Amino acid sequence: MKKITQLLLSGVMVIGIYPFTESTSQAAVTSFKDVPTSHWAKASIDEAVAKGYFKGYSDGTFKPGATVTRAEFAALLARVAKGTQETTQASVFKDLNGHWGETEVNRAVSLGFIMPSDYANGFKPGTTLTREEMAKWLSSGLAAKDEDYKQALKDTKNTLVPVAEFYKGGLKKATYPYVSVVLGTGLMAGYPDGTFGPGRTTTRAEAAVILSRYAQVQESKADSYRDLNEMREVGLTGTNLTSATPFVYSKYENVNYLNSFDLITEKPFSLRNNLGEMIVHRMIIADAPTSSTVKNMYGKMFIDKDFDRFIDEDRYMVFMEVTVTPNGDNLSNLALANSTGYRLTSGAASNFTSGAVNKYGITNLPRVDYVKSGFFKKGVSRRYWMAQSINRYRSEDVTLNGSSIRVGNSFTSFYIPN
């Protein structure tokens, strides 16, 4: 049962589509020989068949474990989509002439799911669909139907994608937006080991589950998904602060801009006592009242049951990604503690570890030997994450009700309003 649940959560999606010549009557939906009542995707399979998206085979099977091809998934999307095609596409791919899926693949192209330029050498309809392709098709279809989803793709081009391949390698930068949208809406998800598996394939059972999700997501607004909102904000500003918390940015008197986080990112500044240089990249807020109740997707990249820092239920954990280049060999974790003048960018009590950081390939400020860990070396730039916290609720004490960071002449500050 644990494995079944993990599959559901991991978004291994499947589509069952056919061939059209192999059909099972709707009355037999609940009696596929290979889909018992205990099958994890039975409800989605039954629904997909009842609505005419999928068909079973003439031998009374559904083949839930069979992989899905490009033509099959394109046909499924053409059936479930409620968008209006701008122009009817015909004969898009030469290798589809006379193919059973030609009409529906052309419709999927017309609805914006598939970009013909991605298949300049032919669609190759019998090729097994990868999860990377699936993510792009699903996201592109949403973007073609709704302008805000199109904007979401733009907003997440430079975001932090919460999958293991982001740091460990294996996720193309060009796919960041598409994977972000399917993750942020729940259309697809990563596997229990933190990977997304862009090159992996999908089964018919998984496709049925995804299809059911798509039918709902296409009726929803992009900004109704918290995780997607956070990924969009990170892509635009480097932090998920205002989408994950009640904090807002402050504004100096007589100026017409907010002191947003992006004002201080990617700008080198000198550490005190000539210790070296720091660059601030990102600030991620984890909404986790306890290590076992992590409420946002980003939080799960850092916190799990093995997280070794104390979590105060009245505070948010804050994870800062920075690069530090020491000027000498005298920069220890302890020396870093007061080197910036600001708590969130200092190394004071910022060490942490967890099972999640290993899963996602995160480099963190080491926990061992706080004074001399050997982490910092003269002239060697180290990019890493460190942990701090900020209050979860408004405080009448101004010093507790917000935080700030200055980088050279740039400044960010934020607080919880009344």
Side-chain angles (χ1 to χ4, degrees), residues 47 61 83 86 139 147 183 251 279 307 318 385 409:
E47 179 185 6
T61 64
E86 296 181 3
S139 299
E147 281 296 320
L183 289 176
K251 183 168 67 173
I279 301 173
F307 186 63
V318 180
W385 290 87
N409 295 321

Side-chain angles (χ1 to χ4, degrees), residues 70-82:
R70 288 175 179 169
E72 290 171 342
F73 198 63
L76 287 174
L77 292 177
R79 296 170 194 170
V80 75
K82 290 188 176 180

Side-chain angles (χ1 to χ4, degrees), residues 242 247-252 255-264 410-415:
T242 63
F247 280 89
V248 298
Y249 292 109
S250 63
K251 183 168 67 173
Y252 283 127
V255 297
N256 60 359
Y257 64 87
L258 297 174
N259 297 317
S260 56
F261 187 76
D262 57 301
L263 295 177
I264 68 164
S410 302
F411 185 71
T412 183
S413 62
F414 39 90
Y415 67 100

Side-chain angles (χ1 to χ4, degrees), residues 241-251 258 316 390-398 400-403 413-418:
L241 178 72
T242 63
S243 52
T245 76
F247 280 89
V248 298
Y249 292 109
S250 63
K251 183 168 67 173
L258 297 174
Y316 293 104
I390 54 176
N391 52 301
R392 181 179 289 269
Y393 307 107
R394 175 177 171 76
S395 172
E396 295 306 316
D397 185 336
V398 177
L400 297 176
N401 195 48
S403 193
S413 62
F414 39 90
Y415 67 100
I416 299 177
N418 287 319

